[in-house]
Amino acid sequence: MMIMDEQIKASEVWLTGLDGEDLGIVSREEALRMAREHKVSLVCTSLMSSPPPCRLISRSAAKQDMNAQKREEKRKEQPQKTKEIRLTPHIEEHDYDTKLRQIAKMLESGSAVELTVRVQGKGKESQQAKALLERLLADLKGKGTKETGIQVSGKGAAVKVLPIE
């Protein structure tokens, strides 16, 4: 949250000028007068210290900062998207490489990926499915981490991979 101009309630502020120069500790009224004089805004950068650090910035820059902050908060509020990639245990090498690139791209864009390997029979195929997922996880090191272990059931195997932030 950004506090500007008259919203600042502190009696004294630590002021930074338009070019980043340190103007020291001045009274709130003096800082507001300087802001009006230069036709700029007085923006408080943190409320955690006393006196609070404030800076003089142009109104358009202050608006841009505020809009960027709102966009960032909105983006953080959205739930993480999970995309599913389905594979078969008998995947050919070029298909494997294509899927690997797709998964890496999804993880880099911030989406979680659910990797699912479907099998027809039991026994040997479900072991192949688990081995395929383990190979994918090894190849995705550095791009994603598994949320849970590999779940093997009668119909296949699955694992959820979260992007590294």
Side-chain angles (χ1 to χ4, degrees):
M1 187 163 125
M2 193 180 288
I3 296 176
M4 295 172 61
D5 298 324
E6 277 73 28
Q7 295 174 335
I8 299 169
K9 300 294 182 206
S11 57
E12 290 183 325
V13 296
W14 191 327
L15 191 61
T16 304
L18 283 165
D19 299 319
E21 70 277 13
D22 187 7
L23 300 174
I25 297 172
V26 297
S27 69
R28 173 182 176 262
E29 287 70 30
E30 174 71 11
L32 287 170
R33 184 190 60 71
M34 288 172 75
R36 280 191 294 273
E37 221 171 72
H38 291 35
K39 294 184 171 56
V40 294
S41 292
L42 179 67
V43 177
C44 185
T45 54
S46 170
L47 296 173
M48 295 301 156
S49 55
S50 180
C54 294
R55 63 182 195 196
L56 296 172
I57 60 173
S58 68
R59 286 194 166 86
S60 62
K63 262 188 183 162
Q64 283 179 339
D65 283 358
M66 208 184 269
N67 289 340
Q69 201 172 14
K70 282 181 184 173
R71 270 196 308 276
E72 186 64 28
E73 285 173 12
K74 202 174 202 178
R75 190 181 66 78
K76 284 182 180 177
E77 285 174 12
Q78 291 176 348
Q80 189 175 43
K81 291 186 171 79
T82 301
K83 302 198 175 183
E84 185 182 23
I85 296 284
R86 291 182 183 170
L87 306 146
T88 60
H90 310 290
I91 189 167
E92 292 184 23
E93 202 54 40
H94 68 278
D95 291 336
Y96 175 86
D97 293 338
T98 303
K99 291 287 187 186
L100 187 63
R101 277 196 309 275
Q102 286 176 338
I103 296 164
K105 196 182 279 186
M106 287 175 192
L107 289 170
E108 285 165 10
S109 73
S111 297
V113 181
E114 178 86 33
L115 303 174
T116 309
V117 181
R118 301 259 180 232
V119 295
Q120 267 82 45
K122 286 191 177 178
K124 189 177 173 192
E125 270 199 3
S126 59
Q127 293 309 313
Q128 289 174 326
K130 186 174 183 194
L132 175 64
L133 288 178
E134 286 169 350
R135 180 180 167 201
L136 273 168
L137 288 170
D139 289 343
L140 289 168
K141 276 265 189 285
K143 290 185 175 48
T145 55
K146 60 183 179 178
E147 181 184 50
T148 58
I150 296 173
Q151 330 271 268
V152 181
S153 68
K155 292 188 170 115
V159 66
K160 187 173 183 179
V161 183
L162 301 174
I164 294 177
E165 306 215 357

